[in-house]
Amino acid sequence: MTNDSAAGAADGGPRRGARGRGRRPAEEVRADVLRTVGGLLLEEGLAGLTFERVARLSGASKTTLHKWWPSRGSLALDGYFHAVQPALDFPDTGDVRADLLSQMRSFVRVMTRTPGGRVLTQLIGEAQTDTGLAAAYRRLYSSQRRALAAERLRRAQEEGQIRADADVRVLVDQLWGAVYHRLLIPDEPVTEEFAAALVANLLDGVGPG
Amino acid sequence: MTNDSAAGAADGGPRRGARGRGRRPAEEVRADVLRTVGGLLLEEGLAGLTFERVARLSGASKTTLHKWWPSRGSLALDGYFHAVQPALDFPDTGDVRADLLSQMRSFVRVMTRTPGGRVLTQLIGEAQTDTGLAAAYRRLYSSQRRALAAERLRRAQEEGQIRADADVRVLVDQLWGAVYHRLLIPDEPVTEEFAAALVANLLDGVGPG
C-alpha cells in the first residue's frame, strides 16, 4: 500500500503513514522521500538504492517517485544534497579562515567517514558517459553547493577578508575541487591536514611574499 | 602479418615493417605501439581504440599487445602519457610563475582543444567502478604526472620562489586538480584565464595580505 499525493484515497482502506483522511500534502511526501533516500545513501551507499525500496520505506508510490525523479541518479542526488546539508553548512562567524577550515574539515569527514564520498565519485564517474546524469548532477548537487560556497566567500570579500579582485568561483575549485581530485584519483590521501593546507595555501599564498 | 619481438621470424616470409632479417627489438616495437595509440587518442578519442586496430597500424601482434598491456585502458593510458609528454613538459626557465603559467596554459589547451580531455575524463569515470583501471590510471598516468609537477615545484622551493613550508603535493591538487574538477563536473568553463587565476591565487594568496 502506498500513500502520497499522486495515489489519492479512493479505496478508503487503511494507509501506511496516513494521518486521518485524504492525501498527504506533496511537500510532506517529498520530504519523507528525500529523508529516506539520504538515510539509505549515508548508511549503505548507492548499492542499496532502488525505487522499489524507497517506495516501501517512504510510503510514496513508485508512480510518484518516477514522476518527480525521472532517474535513480536524480533521486540519489536530490536525497544526498538534503541529507548532507546540515553537516556541510557554510558557517559565518565573521572569520573566514576559521569558517573555511571548519567547513573543509566537515566536508573531508563526510567524504571519508561515510559512504558519501563513494556515492559522489560513483555518480561523477557514471556522469562522464551519461549526459542525463551529468545534467542532474550539476542541477541537483554541484551548482547548488558551488553557489552556497561562493556566497560565503563573497561575504568575506565584502568584509575585506578576501581580496576583492579574486574570482571566488576559482577558489571553489582550489578548495573543494582539490578534494574531489584526490577522491577521484587517489594518488594521495584525503585528510584534515590536507584540508587545512588547502585553506592556508590560498589565504596566505605560497610565493616568497 | 605481424612483426614484433614475440612473433619470431620462423616462416621466413616478408613481414610488414621488417628491416632485414630477424625480429625488431622490443623497445622499437613498444615505441611504435605507443606512438600509434597516442596518435589515435589525440585524433579520435577512446572510441577508435581497439587492440585489433593498434595491431594493424603498428605492425605488432595482438599477442604481444595483450602481453604488454593487459587491458585496453592500460594501453590507452600508456600511449596517452607518451603522446602528451612533449606538449605537457614542465619548463624550467628559473621563473616558476612564468613556467607554471605556460605549463597550465598548455595543459588547458590539450584538455580542451584535443580529444585528450575526453579521453582522461572517460577513463577516470570508468576507474570509479573498475579497480584494475583505477590502478592502471595511477601507475601509468597520474602518479607520473604528479611526480613531474612536484619535481619542478621542489626546484622552485630550493630557489626560494615557493615557501619552504608548503607541501608541493597539495599545490598539484590546487593547480592541475582544480582543472580536472571543472573537466569532470563542468559547472564552469576551463579557460586560459582560469589557469592564470589558479597560479596567481596560490603564489600571491587571496587573503588581505
Side-chain angles (χ1 to χ4, degrees):
Chain A
M1 289 302 262
T2 60
N3 172 36
D4 60 44
S5 64
D11 64 6
R15 289 172 167 282
R16 184 174 159 225
R19 296 184 189 107
R21 268 166 308 186
R23 306 187 294 187
R24 289 192 295 158
E27 274 318 299
E28 199 181 294
V29 177
R30 182 182 288 272
D32 278 357
V33 171
L34 292 176
R35 201 161 33 238
T36 301
V37 172
L40 279 177
L41 290 176
L42 288 183
E43 277 162 38
E44 306 178 18
L46 268 180
L49 190 76
T50 62
F51 278 101
E52 194 93 86
R53 202 162 162 218
V54 172
R56 203 167 59 240
L57 291 171
S58 69
S61 76
K62 275 176 68 180
T63 311
T64 296
L65 294 182
H66 281 288
K67 196 177 70 180
W68 288 346
W69 295 280
S71 68
R72 179 170 168 267
S74 63
L75 180 62
L77 285 160
D78 211 359
Y80 184 79
F81 177 83
H82 287 85
V84 295
Q85 199 153 20
L88 298 187
D89 195 22
F90 292 86
D92 188 352
T93 68
D95 176 349
V96 77
R97 184 185 296 263
D99 291 351
L100 282 178
L101 211 53
S102 92
Q103 210 287 338
M104 291 294 296
R105 281 181 172 147
S106 304
F107 177 62
V108 161
R109 278 195 297 269
V110 170
M111 291 293 110
T112 57
R113 296 191 203 167
T114 76
R118 191 85 198 88
V119 167
L120 290 192
T121 54
Q122 259 185 265
L123 291 171
I124 294 168
E126 286 177 34
Q128 302 312 310
T129 46
D130 178 340
T131 53
L133 180 60
Y137 192 94
R138 296 202 302 275
R139 183 170 54 85
L140 293 170
Y141 192 75
S142 59
S143 70
Q144 298 199 44
R145 296 296 311 170
R146 281 190 87 100
L148 291 170
E151 193 188 307
R152 177 66 189 91
L153 293 168
R154 283 203 190 91
R155 275 204 304 281
Q157 272 185 317
E158 287 160 15
E159 290 159 6
Q161 297 185 8
I162 288 180
R163 285 213 325 260
D165 62 344
D167 181 342
V168 298
R169 292 169 303 183
V170 177
L171 297 180
V172 172
D173 297 292
Q174 293 185 290
L175 293 168
W176 296 273
V179 175
Y180 279 107
H181 184 236
R182 286 199 177 186
L183 288 169
L184 289 159
I185 313 170
D187 286 309
E188 300 285 346
V190 173
T191 62
E192 295 193 33
E193 293 69 40
F194 173 57
L198 294 173
V199 174
N201 286 349
L202 280 173
L203 288 179
D204 304 328
V206 299
Chain B
M1 291 297 267
T2 61
N3 171 36
D4 61 45
S5 65
D11 64 7
R15 288 171 168 284
R16 183 176 159 223
R19 295 186 189 107
R21 267 164 311 187
R23 307 187 294 188
R24 287 193 294 157
E27 275 318 299
E28 197 182 298
V29 176
R30 182 182 288 271
D32 278 357
V33 171
L34 292 175
R35 199 161 33 237
T36 300
V37 172
L40 279 176
L41 290 175
L42 288 183
E43 275 162 39
E44 306 178 18
L46 269 179
L49 190 77
T50 61
F51 278 102
E52 195 92 86
R53 201 161 162 219
V54 172
R56 205 167 57 237
L57 291 170
S58 69
S61 75
K62 277 176 69 179
T63 311
T64 296
L65 294 182
H66 281 288
K67 195 176 72 181
W68 288 346
W69 294 280
S71 67
R72 178 170 168 268
S74 63
L75 180 62
L77 286 159
D78 211 359
Y80 184 79
F81 178 83
H82 287 86
V84 295
Q85 199 152 18
L88 298 187
D89 195 22
F90 291 85
D92 188 351
T93 66
D95 176 350
V96 77
R97 184 186 295 264
D99 290 351
L100 282 178
L101 211 53
S102 91
Q103 209 288 336
M104 292 292 297
R105 281 181 172 148
S106 303
F107 178 61
V108 161
R109 279 196 295 269
V110 170
M111 291 293 110
T112 57
R113 296 191 204 169
T114 76
R118 191 85 198 88
V119 168
L120 290 191
T121 55
Q122 259 185 265
L123 290 171
I124 294 168
E126 286 177 34
Q128 302 312 308
T129 46
D130 178 340
T131 53
L133 180 59
Y137 192 95
R138 296 202 302 278
R139 184 169 54 83
L140 293 169
Y141 193 74
S142 59
S143 71
Q144 298 199 44
R145 295 296 311 171
R146 282 190 86 100
L148 291 170
E151 192 188 307
R152 177 66 189 89
L153 293 168
R154 280 201 194 94
R155 274 203 305 278
Q157 273 185 316
E158 287 161 16
E159 290 159 7
Q161 297 186 7
I162 288 180
R163 286 213 326 260
D165 63 344
D167 181 342
V168 298
R169 293 168 304 184
V170 177
L171 297 180
V172 172
D173 297 292
Q174 292 184 291
L175 292 169
W176 297 274
V179 175
Y180 279 106
H181 185 236
R182 287 200 177 186
L183 288 169
L184 288 158
I185 312 169
D187 285 309
E188 300 284 347
V190 173
T191 61
E192 296 193 33
E193 293 68 40
F194 174 57
L198 294 172
V199 174
N201 286 350
L202 280 172
L203 288 180
D204 304 327
V206 300

